[in-house]
Amino acid sequence: MKEFYPERICAVCREDLDELEIAYGDCPVCEQFVCEGCDDGYDPTTGQMVCPDHAADPRAKNCTE
Ligand SMILES: [Zn+2]
Ligand SMILES: [Zn+2]
């Protein structure tokens, strides 16, 4: 079994999130990190941010802000 640790790089703009020092969250669908500038919805309960590719996915329905 292969374990996967995502890099802390925005899936959209490919910026290094540790260097940018802005808010980011993981997409509830693809689990990639998305920065505050590229996200297409935010779930204040879990802190997850949906990427633009999955904004319409039912699994991201809580990402509204
Ligand atoms: Zn970004
Ligand atoms: Zn996604």
Side-chain angles (χ1 to χ4, degrees), residues 10 13 35 38:
C10 174
C13 64
C35 79
C38 301

